[in-house]
Amino acid sequence: MRACRVHAFDSPATLEDLSLPSPEEGEVAVAIHAGALNFADTLMCTGKYQDTPKPPFTLGLELAGQITALGPNVTGLSRGQRVAVFAGQGGLASGGNFPTSRCIPIPDGLGYAEAAALQIAYGTSHLALSYKARLQAGERLVVTGAAGGVGLTAVEIGKLMGAEVIAIARGDEKLAIAQKAGADHLIDASAPDIRERIKSLGGADVVYDAVGEPLFEACFRATNPDGRILLIGFAGGNLPNLKPNHMLVKNITAIGFYWGAYLKFNPAPLRASLATLFDWAAEGKIKPHISHRLPLEQFEEGLDLLRTRKATGKVILEP
């Protein structure tokens, strides 16, 4: 098997040839057809992600492929079955062994690339908006980084849940992509009056913030009383400046959200959310936006697309 390996946080990842052992008890071997890149992969390369494994390890949080072998006592899955896997690591490779608890059967009609792209980005947005923020039909949802990997899914899912969606992204091209995903209103991230523009549209009931400062400040000040702010990520590089006194006066709730942690302490809502998303995908209600498909050998180019924010939607590596 070929794999993108990190050996040290002060040196670049490398593509290597490795031997794949037989799967152990509770595992299946998967021939990987698609691995989806995430901003977390860029952080893992330097050890800055909250769940970075100890080196050496293989990059890649999510993947899709076909089961080639079963470990001892594995039931419920079969050789030849197509599965999507939230692996946490090991997805940027041509193969790997993964726990059965991380495997979700891929419905007919859904491709490998789409199944790989669906899990973290759509899973994050759906679980955050439905389970944590309790987004209701008719509420106004503001999404920062609205053309990015997770932001775009928040636009799409928010609209599907009946919200009025305000998309914030940088530049006409990215705003057009957000509009195509269902955004009702568009605001350029470089605009000097973001708070005023959100307020003129009625203010925010829910904010989905994947960027951090300086956008967080404008969105926070435009949040309506009893609003909820989801802290999804900090792609802008700066942590948000929370103001507890303003939160108190306006009854605003700030919600930290990390999707992958639910597999460890409460997997039931996560798996239920993914089941819903796979049903929606099979029915054509959602369709992952894939901006780049690259061979595994171009993994560094794929990571650079995320580092420089040139990707719109997901970047897929296909071994």
Side-chain angles (χ1 to χ4, degrees), residues 225-269:
D226 209 24
R228 291 87 75 202
I229 301 178
L230 287 158
L231 304 176
I232 302 297
F234 316 112
N238 296 310
L239 298 179
N241 182 21
L242 292 171
K243 294 182 171 63
N245 55 330
H246 292 182
M247 293 170 62
L248 183 153
V249 171
K250 294 178 68 177
N251 285 289
I252 289 174
T253 303
I255 304 169
F257 183 78
Y258 170 41
W259 181 80
Y262 277 88
L263 278 172
K264 299 177 181 178
F265 71 86
N266 189 13

Side-chain angles (χ1 to χ4, degrees), residues 126-134 257 262 266 269:
H126 184 257
L127 197 63
L129 291 173
S130 64
Y131 182 72
K132 295 294 285 186
R134 309 292 183 184
F257 183 78
Y262 277 88
N266 189 13

Side-chain angles (χ1 to χ4, degrees), residues 146-147 169-179 308-312:
R170 190 172 299 275
D172 291 342
E173 181 181 354
K174 290 186 176 181
L175 287 171
I177 291 170
Q179 186 175 39
T308 59
R309 300 191 212 176
K310 292 180 179 178
T312 56

Side-chain angles (χ1 to χ4, degrees), residues 186-219:
L186 308 173
I187 300 177
D188 196 298
S190 62
D193 57 348
I194 291 176
R195 173 184 178 265
E196 289 75 15
R197 295 187 63 178
I198 296 173
K199 292 286 285 184
S200 71
L201 294 168
D205 299 307
V206 174
V207 175
Y208 181 103
D209 182 34
V211 175
E213 295 295 4
L215 292 178
F216 177 87
E217 173 81 10
C219 294

Side-chain angles (χ1 to χ4, degrees), residues 28-239:
V28 293
V30 177
I32 300 173
H33 289 254
L37 284 176
N38 292 273
F39 190 72
D41 290 303
T42 69
L43 300 178
M44 277 192 178
C45 289
T46 55
K48 296 178 180 178
Y49 187 59
Q50 61 261 31
D51 268 354
T52 300
K54 183 179 178 180
F57 64 88
T58 299
L59 288 168
L61 279 73
E62 56 185 341
L63 63 102
Q66 191 171 31
I67 295 175
T68 58
L70 306 177
N73 301 317
V74 168
T75 60
L77 295 171
S78 58
R79 191 177 288 107
Q81 189 171 10
R82 300 190 319 136
V83 290
V85 185
F86 172 63
Q89 60 174 298
L92 302 190
S94 59
N97 296 327
F98 304 101
T100 58
S101 60
R102 299 290 185 101
C103 298
I104 301 173
I106 299 174
D108 293 340
L110 191 63
Y112 287 114
E114 289 74 20
L118 187 66
Q119 298 168 87
I120 295 176
Y122 278 89
T124 293
S125 293
H126 184 257
L127 197 63
L129 291 173
S130 64
Y131 182 72
K132 295 294 285 186
R134 309 292 183 184
L135 178 67
Q136 303 298 308
E139 289 192 307
R140 197 168 294 106
L141 168 67
V142 173
V143 180
T144 67
V150 293
L152 197 63
T153 66
V155 171
E156 190 175 356
I157 289 174
K159 191 64 179 176
L160 194 58
M161 292 176 66
E164 180 182 347
V165 181
I166 301 172
I168 302 176
R170 190 172 299 275
D172 291 342
E173 181 181 354
K174 290 186 176 181
L175 287 171
I177 291 170
Q179 186 175 39
K180 186 176 180 180
D184 299 286
H185 310 284
L186 308 173
I187 300 177
D188 196 298
S190 62
D193 57 348
I194 291 176
R195 173 184 178 265
E196 289 75 15
R197 295 187 63 178
I198 296 173
K199 292 286 285 184
S200 71
L201 294 168
D205 299 307
V206 174
V207 175
Y208 181 103
D209 182 34
V211 175
E213 295 295 4
L215 292 178
F216 177 87
E217 173 81 10
C219 294
F220 178 85
R221 294 177 66 204
T223 299
N224 293 328
D226 209 24
R228 291 87 75 202
I229 301 178
L230 287 158
L231 304 176
I232 302 297
F234 316 112
N238 296 310
L239 298 179

Side-chain angles (χ1 to χ4, degrees), residues 277-294:
L277 290 169
F278 272 80
D279 286 342
W280 283 356
E283 295 165 7
K285 292 181 179 179
I286 57 174
K287 183 175 177 59
H289 174 72
I290 297 171
S291 61
H292 296 80
R293 293 175 185 245
L294 302 171

